[in-house]
Amino acid sequence: MPDPPAAGSPIRVLVCDDQSIIRAGYAAIIDAQPDLEVVGQAEDGRTGVELARRLRPDVMVTDIRMPLLDGIAATRLLAGPDVDDPVKVLVVTTFNLDEYVYDALRAGASGFLLKDSRPHELVAAVRTVAAGEALLAPAVTRRLIGRFGERVRVAEREWEDPAKPLTDREREVLMLIARGLSNSEIAKALTISHETVKTYVSRILTKLGLRDRVQAVVFAYQNGLVSGY
């Protein structure tokens, strides 16, 4: 997992979108924050990948539909499972692109936002992803993963339980993560402290060899541990 920015250093952001007005808007919003800095802009996915590899931003904010190389392919090249030194990717989309977002999460994105999100939500998302706390808005996650979870469920057969390394409590926490609950919501549901939830999440990721919370959600649905709803 990439390290978060050093304390006191601005969060370096690369903006990738084929619409110039959106790029300019994101850049203005981000640069207006004292702890954020736009280090580059790209108008297509190929350029975005090239700039990300050269500039090594803390976060790349990218659209999905772009020329030359779409956001999903760019995400896979920068943050996919075979990438040794991944870049954190925050994907932006619209509700009518739900399936593309799911594919982007599988490709390694650290989170996603809707294009109609407010400026303060964009800023908060960048900070969250930069800190290594993958962004999954609960309401959107429930709709998104619930809708497409069944599409990737494994067939019913005899197989080794992929979550076997987990304790019963860790498995319970994983199920709640997969349903889009935040750490605070999980703490309330299980009547445990927020810090205890963070410890469980860390153990789950380590035991399953996952990079972040997004991968935990995808893991749960891909392996049929949670049904769509």
Side-chain angles (χ1 to χ4, degrees):
M1 180 186 299
D3 294 327
S9 300
I11 297 170
R12 304 172 68 253
V13 182
L14 173 65
V15 177
C16 187
D17 196 293
D18 62 326
Q19 298 183 51
S20 59
I21 190 169
I22 292 180
R23 286 200 313 275
Y26 287 168
I29 291 168
I30 292 168
D31 269 335
Q33 305 302 312
D35 61 329
L36 306 181
E37 175 188 8
V38 174
V39 295
Q41 298 183 42
E43 62 183 11
D44 60 74
R46 182 189 299 170
T47 303
V49 170
E50 293 172 353
L51 285 177
R53 287 173 171 170
R54 177 162 57 88
L55 300 174
R56 300 302 303 176
D58 298 307
V59 179
M60 181 170 86
V61 177
T62 183
D63 190 10
I64 289 182
R65 287 185 171 177
M66 292 185 295
L68 301 183
L69 192 70
D70 65 43
I72 296 172
T75 297
R76 188 174 295 110
L77 290 173
L78 293 173
D82 298 326
V83 179
D84 293 329
D85 188 17
V87 171
K88 295 169 184 172
V89 178
L90 174 64
V91 173
V92 291
T93 186
T94 55
F95 267 121
N96 64 351
L97 292 177
D98 280 354
E99 187 166 6
Y100 293 108
V101 180
Y102 181 78
D103 289 339
L105 297 181
R106 294 181 66 192
S110 290
F112 64 90
L113 276 183
L114 302 178
K115 277 206 169 181
D116 60 358
S117 296
R118 297 179 180 180
H120 74 272
E121 293 174 324
L122 171 64
V123 170
V126 169
R127 290 173 178 149
T128 298
V129 169
E133 299 177 7
L135 180 76
L136 283 172
V140 180
T141 302
R142 293 187 183 104
R143 169 186 170 165
L144 173 69
I145 304 298
R147 180 175 172 184
F148 294 101
E150 289 293 336
R151 183 170 62 91
V152 297
R153 290 195 66 190
V154 295
E156 294 294 335
R157 57 182 171 83
E158 292 296 325
W159 64 315
E160 182 178 355
D161 182 0
K164 186 175 181 180
L166 303 183
T167 65
D168 290 342
R169 178 62 93 176
E170 289 165 352
R171 182 186 290 264
E172 189 175 9
V173 171
L174 175 59
M175 298 304 98
L176 295 176
I177 291 173
R179 290 191 167 93
L181 273 67
S182 66
N183 282 0
S184 296
E185 290 171 326
I186 293 173
K188 183 177 181 180
L190 300 180
T191 319
I192 57 179
S193 72
H194 186 273
E195 289 302 316
T196 299
V197 175
K198 290 177 64 177
T199 298
Y200 279 129
V201 172
S202 178
R203 289 177 182 171
I204 290 167
L205 298 182
T206 299
K207 288 183 177 182
L208 299 181
L210 304 174
R211 188 178 66 225
D212 55 33
R213 195 184 192 93
V214 173
Q215 288 193 353
V217 173
V218 175
F219 173 91
Y221 280 93
Q222 281 185 318
N223 290 286
L225 301 177
V226 181
S227 299
Y229 55 91

